[in-house]
Amino acid sequence: MPETPTKKKPSRIQRRNRRVILDAALDVFSTYGFRGATLDQIASEAGLSKPNILYYFSGKEEIHTTLLSQLMETWLDPLVELDADGDPRTELLDYVQRKLDMARDLPRESRLFAGEILRGAPHMEPRLQSDLKPLFDEKCAVISDWMAAGKIARMDPRHLIFSIWSTTQHYADFAPQVALLLDSDADQHQQASDHLRLMFSTLLTPAAPQQ
């Protein structure tokens, strides 16, 4: 029986060029969105020719899908780390901090993800269904158990997580507005961290029993 030919591994230069293309595309997509981005812009940002781009990818849709696929695991990691056996307030405040740190460290990725969702998630819906939805439901159940045990205030855990997402990702998705409105000499990330910790700490504190 003839041997099945093995797929040739990409060379070091090919791996480097793919990374360069994807990094350039991340800049372009996060700036112009999927519809506004062009292969010419990606090629110019990457310092490569358009035919060179098309040697590695069939078009901008494949590049966009590749970026989103790589991003998904990173995007889920902070929620994965929410530990059911940990102290509820500590776990949730740490989750807020991880999401805020991600907004600071991965602003392009945040805008890429937001743009995909605003378009109706045409490329990501299967991954959202298979990866995000079960994890989201699992962590909502954990938070519900904490609430039922009186460890944190009662509220809808789904909307609690939405609130965390919206308040942390704001600092990446609306970065120019944030920079314009805040004192440029201050540590804006620390200010945001202090504010969100105070806000969510207050929100999570159960009401004192009435006398």
Side-chain angles (χ1 to χ4, degrees):
M1 186 174 179
E3 293 184 4
T4 303
T6 57
K7 188 175 180 180
K8 187 178 179 181
K9 291 183 178 180
S11 68
R12 180 179 60 82
I13 293 176
Q14 288 173 325
R15 293 195 300 271
R16 173 194 170 276
N17 283 347
R18 279 183 63 89
R19 287 196 302 269
V20 167
I21 292 167
L22 290 171
D23 188 63
L26 183 55
D27 268 342
V28 173
F29 284 130
S30 66
T31 302
Y32 301 103
F34 178 77
R35 289 193 179 91
T38 67
L39 282 177
D40 288 329
Q41 289 170 324
I42 295 171
S44 176
E45 186 72 23
L48 299 169
S49 68
K50 185 174 176 179
N52 211 336
I53 301 291
L54 292 172
Y55 172 81
Y56 293 97
F57 298 95
S58 61
K60 76 170 186 176
E61 184 159 346
E62 185 185 359
I63 300 172
H64 190 254
T65 302
T66 301
L67 282 170
L68 288 167
S69 180
Q70 292 179 354
L71 172 62
M72 193 66 187
E73 184 175 347
T74 301
W75 218 243
L76 296 180
D77 280 346
L79 191 56
V80 170
E81 293 179 26
L82 193 71
D83 184 2
D85 296 324
D87 173 71
R89 283 167 55 89
T90 300
E91 289 299 320
L92 286 166
L93 292 176
D94 284 352
Y95 177 55
V96 172
Q97 188 64 52
R98 288 193 295 269
K99 290 294 291 180
L100 183 62
D101 289 345
M102 184 176 287
R104 176 195 61 192
D105 299 335
L106 304 173
R108 298 178 304 167
E109 289 83 348
S110 181
R111 291 191 290 272
L112 177 77
F113 190 80
E116 169 70 4
I117 299 302
L118 288 171
R119 293 177 59 235
H123 299 128
M124 288 296 289
E125 185 174 4
R127 293 291 302 276
L128 296 177
Q129 288 284 356
S130 64
D131 297 352
L132 176 58
K133 185 63 164 65
L135 177 64
F136 179 79
D137 290 344
E138 174 194 333
K139 299 305 181 179
C140 282
V142 168
I143 296 170
S144 291
D145 288 344
W146 289 339
M147 292 174 181
K151 295 179 179 179
I152 54 175
R154 288 182 178 271
M155 66 193 78
D156 189 322
R158 299 167 302 175
H159 291 282
L160 172 61
I161 292 177
F162 293 161
S163 295
I164 293 171
W165 290 350
S166 61
T167 52
T168 54
Q169 288 170 220
H170 175 91
Y171 291 94
D173 300 343
F174 292 86
Q177 176 176 272
V178 171
L180 176 69
L181 297 176
L182 291 182
D183 181 357
S184 61
D185 294 331
D187 186 341
Q188 297 175 4
H189 185 73
Q190 187 61 51
Q191 286 182 344
S193 178
D194 292 344
H195 170 73
L196 293 179
R197 176 169 289 274
L198 174 61
M199 183 176 74
F200 282 106
S201 180
T202 303
L203 178 67
L204 294 169
T205 302
Q210 294 184 346
Q211 299 296 329

